[in-house]
Amino acid sequence: MAATAETNGMTAYGVSAKVPASACPLADEPADIASNINYHAKYSPHFSPFKFEPEQAYYATAESVRDRLIQQWNETYFHYHKTDPKQIYYLSMEYLQGRALTNAIGNLDIQDAYGDALNKLGHDLEEIIEQEKDAALGNGGLGRLASCFLDSMATLNLPAWGYGLRYRYGLFKQLITKDGQEEIAEDWLEKFSPWEIVRHDVVFPVRFFGHVEVTPNGSRKWVGGEVLQALAYDVPIPGYKTKNTNSLRLWEAKASSQDFDLFQFNDGQYESAGQLHSRAEQICAVLYPGDATESGKLLRLKQQFFLCSASLQDIIFRFKERKGGEGSRQWVDFPTKVAVQLNDTHPTLAIPELMRLLMDDEGLGWDEAWDIMTRTIAYTNHTVLPEALEKWSQAVMRKLLPRHMEIIEEIDKRFMEMVHTQRKDLENKLSTLRVLDNNPQKPVVRMANLCVVSGHTVNGVAQLHSDILKSELFADYVSIWPSKFQNKTNGITPRRWLRFCSPELSGIITKWLKTDQWVKNLDLLVGLRQFADNVDLQDEWASAKMANKQRLAQYILRVTGISIDPNSLFDIQVKRIHEYKRQLMNILGVIYRYKKLKEMSPEERKKTTSRTVMIGGKAFATYTNAKRIVKLVTDVGNVVNSDPEVNDYLKVIFVPNYNVSVAEILIPGSELSQHISTAGMEASGTSNMKFALNGCLIIGTLDGANVEIREEIGEQNFFLFGATADEVPRLRKDRENGLFKPDPCFEEAKQFIRSGAFGSYDYNPLLDSLEGNSGYGRGDYFLVGHDFPSYMEAQATVDDAYKDRRGWLRMSILSTAGSGKFSSDRTIAQYAKEIWNVEGCCVP
C-alpha cells in the first residue's frame, strides 16, 4: 500500500497529527509551542498543504516566535507613547543583521523550549535554523556595527529606532569559480521574510528633481519633479531577557497606481507606461550600486536622500502626534525628544532635509530651524580614507535636490562669515574647511565637512582613530569647537558573538564565573584571569575549541569540498577585500611559507607547525585589484592543497560568500586571526573584537581597535608587527625618494608568483602596485613591502607559541578575559549618556 500523510502520522496538511494545531501565541511549554507552530503551518500557509519539510517548518517556527515578539513590540510602543521619553533615531545605509531566528529565541530565552517543540514535530532546531537566509541589507563592518548597536539599545531598554532601506538584491552573493569572484544577486526575498511587518499606513512622499518656487510672502517651496512613496517595513529587535523590543524600520520605494499610464500601456508603450514604477524599483534594488557612470552616481544620491527624507518625515510625524497632537508641543522641544545619529556620511542629507522640513513645511525661520537641527543631529565618522569621505558633484546635487542645494549654499556662506568674523587666523584655510569646494574643474559638496559644521557632536570609533581625526583630518575644526569631538570605541554584542555562536565555550565561562550575568555585563569576564593557569579550565577550554574547530572543518568540507585537519592551527582573515586591509600580505606570507616547505626534507617538515589558512570576504564588483587578490588566494589554494608533499602541513582556503552566518561558524573555530591593516587606516575594526572574545589570538598592527585590544588582553598575548601610524607618512616619503630596500624574502615570494607556479593568470598588474617608488597604483602605498619582514618574524613567533599547548591555552583564556571593554552595551551606554542624553525606558 502506498504511504499517505495519515499513515506517517501526518495530516493532509503535512504537519504532525499527534500535535493539535491550536493558536498559543505566548506559549512557554514545548507542547504548546509545538501546537502554535502547527497552527501557523495550517492557518498561515505559504506552501501547498502536503509538506512539512524543513523549509515549511522554518517559516511556521518563525511566525510562532514572531507572535511573542509582536506582543512585546506592542507593549514597548504603548509604554514609550505613554511615558514620552527622548528617543534615538539611528540612520544607516546598511545593517548586517544575520539570521533572526537564533537571535530571537536566544534573547527571549526560549531556545530549549523551541528545540523540544520541534522535536515533537519531527524536526531538529539546528536544521530549521539553517533554512534561514541572511538578510542582505549590508556588507561590512559599518552594517554589522549598526546591528550590534540595535541589539544593545534594546537590551539596555533605550527607546530607539533604526532606519534603513529594504534592499531586494543586497550587495551581491559571491561565487568562486576558476576565474575568481563572480557576483550574482542575493535571493533573501525570493520567497519572503517572516520577520518584517509591512505598515501600509506609514507612507511618505519623497520628491526628486523639480524646482524651487518663491511664494508671495517670500517663503520657498520645492515643487514639480517626480514624487515616489516610501512604504515602511518594520523588523522587531528584541533585547536580551527584557520585554523591550525596538524597531528597525526599512523603507521601500513605490509608485502609485495613478503613476501607471494605462493609455500608453494599451497603446503598446509598455516600458514608458510604468516608467515611474521602474524608477522606484531601482532605488531599493541594490546596496551601493556601481557609481562609475553618471546614472550610477545619481541613483546612489537618490538612495541616500530617500532614506533621509522618509525617516525625518516619520520622526516629525511622531513628534507632532505624541502628547495629544499638535498645539501641545513647541518646536523648541524637538531636540529634547529626538536624537538623530548619522552612521557615516551616507545620511548627511538629513541635515538640509531637516532644515527644509522645518522652514518650508513648518514655517520656521532659518535661525530657529538651524538651532533645532544642530541640537538634534550628531555624526559618526568611520574613515580617514580620502576616497571614502563622500564628495558629491554640485551639478548633480542641484539637479536632483534644488532646494537642498540652496540650503547647503547658505550653510556654507554662514560658516565662512563666522570664520571671517571670529577666526581670522583660519581665513587662509577656508578653502579646505568650507562645505563647498568650488574648484572650477570639479565643484563638489563635501559631506564630511557639512556634518562637522552642522552636527552637535562628531565621534570617531576607536581611540587611535579619534586622535587622528582631532590631530589631522579635522584639526582646524577642533580649534573652533574643541568640545564637539569625542571618541566612542566600537563594540560587539556578546549575545550573538559568544553566547549563541559558541554555546560550549559560553557554558564553560558561566561555570567558572558561577554566573551567566557576563552576557549583559561583559566586564565580568575579567574573573577568568585568576583561572588562566588552571589545568582543568584549560582542558575544558581546549575541548570547547576543538568542538568548534570540528564544526568549522565540516562546514569547509561542505562548501569547498576540501578536507582540513582540526589539529592544525586555524589561521583566519575574514573582512572586506581591500588593499589597505592587506590580504595581499597574508597570501604573500603563505606563498613564502609554501616555498620554504617545498625546500625542506620530510623530516624537517614534521617539525613545523601545521596550518590551515582561511581567507574570506567580498571584493567590490568594480575594484579590480581586490578581485585579483581573491583570484590569487584561490590559485594558491589549488596548488598547495593538491601538493602531497606539503598538504599535511599547509592548506589554503578561500571561504566563499562571507556573511554573518558564516562568521558565526568561523570565529568560534579560529585560533589565530589576522588584523594586519596599514597602521592609521582602519578606523576601528570589530571582527578583531569578535575573535578576541572567542579566545582567538591576534596577529596585527597597531591600528584601529587593535591598540586597545592589546592594552586590555596584555601585550604578551598579542602578536605585534609593522610600522606605527606616526611612522607611515615618513616611510611613504622615503619610498618616494627611493630609499626603500626590499627584503629578500619579499622579493622571493613575488618572484615565485611571476614564475607561473600558481598558473598562467597575469598577476603583474597586482604585483606592480608593490613596485616602483611613486605614481598611480604603484609605490606600495600600503607598505606591504616595508612590513613584510616583521610580519614573517611575528608568524614565526606564532609557530613556536602554538607548539606550547598549555601556554597557548593560557593566552586564549586571557584573550577572552580581557575582552570586557568591547561590548556594544558599553559603547551604546556612552553614546546615550555623552551624545544623545537619552535614558532607559524599561517596559514593566
Side-chain angles (χ1 to χ4, degrees):
M1 184 180 103
T4 64
E6 280 81 357
T7 61
N8 286 332
M10 307 294 279
T11 69
Y13 286 92
V15 295
S16 174
K18 296 173 188 160
V19 176
S22 55
C24 314
L26 305 180
D28 287 313
E29 293 304 316
D32 296 334
I33 291 170
S35 293
N36 199 49
I37 294 171
N38 230 351
Y39 172 84
H40 280 291
K42 190 170 179 180
Y43 296 112
S44 312
H46 304 287
F47 301 89
S48 54
F50 303 108
K51 285 183 176 174
F52 193 62
E53 287 167 7
E55 186 179 37
Q56 290 79 27
Y58 160 67
Y59 283 106
T61 302
E63 286 174 327
S64 174
V65 174
R66 199 181 75 175
D67 288 344
R68 181 184 290 229
L69 288 175
I70 287 172
Q71 170 72 20
Q72 292 193 181
W73 221 356
N74 292 340
E75 286 179 20
T76 301
Y77 285 101
F78 286 132
H79 184 64
Y80 291 170
H81 195 82
K82 189 175 74 184
T83 54
D84 192 27
K86 184 176 184 180
Q87 298 200 35
I88 304 146
Y89 300 95
Y90 196 83
L91 271 60
S92 181
M93 281 303 279
E94 43 170 313
Y95 293 87
L96 207 52
Q97 288 287 94
R99 288 177 174 148
L101 179 56
T102 344
N103 195 65
I105 60 176
N107 276 0
L108 294 169
D109 200 22
I110 50 176
Q111 58 270 67
D112 292 344
Y114 265 80
D116 293 348
L118 282 164
N119 287 341
K120 291 177 189 298
L121 295 167
H123 285 290
D124 175 60
L125 178 60
E126 289 296 313
E127 182 188 29
I128 298 309
I129 284 166
E130 285 295 313
Q131 300 300 310
E132 183 176 358
K133 292 177 176 175
D134 281 31
L137 299 170
N139 171 33
L142 184 83
R144 188 50 238 166
L145 179 78
S147 295
C148 282
F149 280 4
L150 294 182
D151 180 83
S152 286
M153 289 177 206
T155 298
L156 295 173
N157 303 315
L158 292 169
W161 293 72
Y163 281 110
L165 295 183
R166 184 178 179 264
Y167 304 106
R168 184 167 193 84
Y169 302 115
L171 186 76
F172 59 82
K173 183 187 275 190
Q174 183 190 54
L175 301 180
I176 299 299
T177 69
K178 62 179 175 41
D179 299 316
Q181 170 182 294
E182 287 185 15
E183 305 88 21
I184 60 170
E186 287 271 18
D187 58 354
W188 76 290
L189 286 176
E190 201 79 345
K191 292 194 172 81
F192 71 102
S193 166
W195 304 104
E196 57 182 24
I197 307 279
V198 58
R199 305 289 192 191
H200 291 290
D201 56 330
V202 182
V203 183
F204 295 100
V206 179
R207 186 184 307 275
F208 299 109
F209 306 110
H211 61 278
V212 180
E213 275 184 359
V214 184
T215 62
N217 67 1
S219 64
R220 305 178 82 79
K221 259 304 189 250
W222 181 25
V223 295
E226 65 184 37
V227 178
L228 299 177
Q229 306 302 316
L231 172 66
Y233 284 75
D234 285 355
V235 179
I237 307 292
Y240 179 71
K241 294 190 181 179
T242 173
K243 280 190 181 175
N244 285 57
T245 302
N246 290 335
S247 260
L248 168 57
R249 178 157 282 179
L250 302 169
W251 299 108
E252 176 157 278
K254 310 280 271 189
S256 67
S257 54
Q258 290 97 313
D259 294 317
F260 186 79
D261 192 323
L262 208 53
F263 178 82
Q264 279 192 339
F265 191 86
N266 287 328
D267 192 39
Q269 301 175 56
Y270 304 129
E271 286 182 15
S272 53
Q275 209 169 36
L276 205 60
H277 288 259
S278 167
R279 286 209 282 267
E281 276 182 20
Q282 290 167 12
I283 287 178
C284 294
V286 171
L287 168 65
Y288 302 139
D291 59 355
T293 62
E294 282 310 305
S295 56
K297 289 183 176 70
L298 196 65
L299 180 57
R300 280 215 192 184
L301 196 58
K302 272 186 167 183
Q303 287 183 326
Q304 294 186 0
F305 180 66
F306 189 80
L307 167 65
C308 295
S309 181
S311 304
L312 284 166
Q313 288 181 73
D314 193 31
I315 292 165
I316 285 174
F317 175 80
R318 200 171 299 117
F319 173 78
K320 287 162 73 171
E321 78 164 356
R322 279 190 319 222
K323 287 285 193 193
E326 292 189 56
S328 61
R329 189 176 255 178
Q330 303 299 310
W331 280 109
V332 73
D333 299 329
F334 190 78
T336 69
K337 293 296 176 184
V338 172
V340 173
Q341 188 70 34
L342 309 182
N343 191 28
D344 215 349
T345 52
H346 309 124
T348 303
L349 288 167
I351 291 163
E353 175 65 352
L354 183 52
M355 291 293 288
R356 183 192 72 82
L357 290 166
L358 292 173
M359 292 191 298
D360 300 2
D361 289 8
E362 303 299 337
L364 274 61
W366 178 278
D367 291 340
E368 194 180 356
W370 177 257
D371 177 64
I372 290 165
M373 184 276 296
T374 55
R375 290 195 292 127
T376 300
I377 291 179
Y379 157 59
T380 300
N381 172 280
H382 283 276
T383 184
V384 295
L385 294 179
E387 69 268 22
L389 289 170
E390 291 187 297
K391 298 177 178 71
W392 286 103
S393 153
Q394 291 183 25
V396 171
M397 185 80 74
R398 193 171 278 109
K399 177 182 171 188
L400 186 70
L401 304 168
R403 179 66 178 122
H404 299 77
M405 194 59 205
E406 288 185 346
I407 292 167
I408 291 166
E409 286 171 333
E410 184 66 21
I411 292 171
D412 183 58
K413 184 178 119 209
R414 289 175 181 240
F415 171 70
M416 291 200 298
E417 285 170 359
M418 183 274 290
V419 172
H420 286 312
T421 55
Q422 296 177 26
R423 290 296 304 271
K424 289 200 180 298
D425 57 313
L426 290 177
E427 283 183 324
N428 62 332
K429 294 183 176 175
L430 253 181
S431 60
T432 56
L433 290 176
R434 59 181 296 191
V435 175
L436 298 179
D437 179 349
N438 289 332
N439 175 343
Q441 271 74 50
K442 198 180 175 188
V444 293
V445 181
R446 301 173 175 129
M447 304 308 260
N449 291 25
L450 181 55
C451 288
V452 174
V453 166
S454 309
H456 62 82
T457 305
V458 176
N459 73 280
V461 290
Q463 192 61 58
L464 174 67
H465 171 234
S466 298
D467 291 345
I468 290 171
L469 290 184
K470 289 205 277 194
S471 63
E472 295 174 31
L473 197 65
F474 298 144
D476 290 315
Y477 293 121
V478 174
S479 75
I480 302 172
W481 301 293
S483 61
K484 183 178 279 200
F485 296 84
Q486 297 188 14
N487 174 57
K488 295 285 168 279
T489 297
N490 283 341
I492 56 169
T493 166
R495 273 74 63 183
R496 185 179 289 273
W497 294 114
L498 180 53
R499 175 65 191 83
F500 305 151
C501 72
S502 186
E504 297 92 343
L505 200 61
S506 296
I508 291 164
I509 292 167
T510 297
K511 172 186 162 185
W512 284 80
L513 293 180
K514 296 187 168 55
T515 176
D516 66 354
Q517 286 301 305
W518 61 269
V519 182
K520 279 181 98 162
N521 179 5
L522 205 60
D523 288 333
L524 294 175
L525 290 180
V526 77
L528 291 171
R529 276 190 187 147
Q530 62 185 305
F531 305 119
D533 292 303
N534 186 297
V535 175
D536 293 336
L537 173 58
Q538 288 180 0
D539 289 343
E540 289 175 32
W541 201 266
S543 120
K545 274 310 233 182
M546 181 51 76
N548 288 331
K549 288 178 76 177
Q550 286 167 339
R551 191 179 300 132
L552 172 51
Q554 287 161 6
Y555 175 78
I556 294 297
L557 182 62
R558 193 168 86 239
V559 297
T560 68
I562 300 164
S563 129
I564 59 176
D565 178 8
N567 292 305
S568 65
L569 167 59
F570 278 12
D571 166 353
I572 299 180
Q573 186 183 19
V574 279
K575 49 187 81 241
R576 280 185 305 124
I577 310 294
H578 197 294
E579 286 167 285
Y580 88 80
K581 293 177 186 282
R582 300 201 294 192
Q583 287 92 348
L584 182 54
M585 182 155 69
N586 184 348
I587 197 62
L588 283 167
V590 170
I591 288 164
Y592 184 77
R593 187 183 193 89
Y594 173 59
K595 189 168 185 293
K596 294 297 120 183
L597 281 167
K598 287 293 282 178
E599 292 165 5
M600 287 178 190
S601 68
E603 291 310 310
E604 287 173 318
R605 283 186 203 122
K606 283 178 185 162
K607 294 176 188 164
T608 64
T609 299
S610 295
R611 273 208 205 205
T612 302
V613 178
M614 294 172 243
I615 297 176
K618 294 179 180 179
F620 196 68
T622 55
Y623 188 174
T624 314
N625 258 3
K627 291 178 83 167
R628 287 180 181 129
I629 292 167
V630 174
K631 170 75 173 144
L632 179 57
V633 175
T634 59
D635 282 351
V636 171
N638 290 338
V639 171
V640 172
N641 301 340
S642 56
D643 186 332
E645 291 184 330
V646 167
N647 63 15
D648 281 345
Y649 306 100
L650 180 64
K651 288 267 176 82
V652 181
I653 311 290
F654 190 89
V655 184
N657 203 42
Y658 179 61
N659 62 18
V660 175
S661 294
V662 177
E664 288 169 1
I665 301 168
L666 282 169
I667 291 171
S670 63
E671 293 174 290
L672 178 76
S673 80
Q674 306 211 24
H675 302 275
I676 57 178
S677 50
T678 314
M681 303 204 77
E682 186 75 85
S684 166
T686 47
S687 68
N688 44 7
M689 302 171 185
K690 292 162 198 161
F691 282 103
L693 179 63
N694 278 271
C696 172
L697 301 183
I698 290 176
I699 180 169
T701 51
L702 282 179
D703 197 22
N706 281 2
V707 178
E708 290 160 81
I709 290 171
R710 184 168 171 264
E711 284 169 6
E712 294 293 315
I713 69 173
E715 57 188 55
Q716 68 282 11
N717 304 313
F718 187 105
F719 299 100
L720 179 68
F721 75 95
T724 58
D726 55 345
E727 292 169 341
V728 166
R730 176 183 57 77
L731 291 167
R732 285 187 179 139
K733 201 85 196 142
D734 287 352
R735 179 77 184 229
E736 279 177 35
N737 295 331
L739 301 175
F740 173 67
K741 296 281 182 290
D743 183 80
C745 306
F746 182 59
E747 294 302 297
E748 204 177 327
K750 288 187 297 179
Q751 193 47 46
F752 201 36
I753 298 172
R754 289 197 168 105
S755 74
F758 304 106
S760 58
Y761 183 85
D762 181 12
Y763 282 109
N764 282 315
L766 177 61
L767 296 173
D768 283 351
S769 70
L770 306 173
E771 309 295 351
N773 294 326
S774 60
Y776 181 74
R778 288 176 67 77
D780 193 10
Y781 185 75
F782 301 102
L783 303 184
V784 177
H786 175 274
D787 282 357
F788 192 77
S790 67
Y791 173 66
M792 295 310 291
E793 283 170 26
Q795 289 286 19
T797 309
V798 169
D799 286 335
D800 291 341
Y802 195 69
K803 288 173 181 164
D804 174 6
R805 183 172 170 274
R806 292 278 172 209
W808 188 276
L809 286 166
R810 179 180 188 278
M811 288 195 288
S812 175
I813 293 164
L814 289 170
S815 175
T816 300
S819 293
K821 174 179 176 177
F822 303 106
S823 169
S824 49
D825 297 348
R826 184 265 317 148
T827 314
I828 286 298
Q830 290 177 337
Y831 273 96
K833 185 179 178 198
E834 295 161 21
I835 296 181
W836 302 329
N837 193 26
V838 171
E839 293 180 345
C841 185
C842 187
V843 176

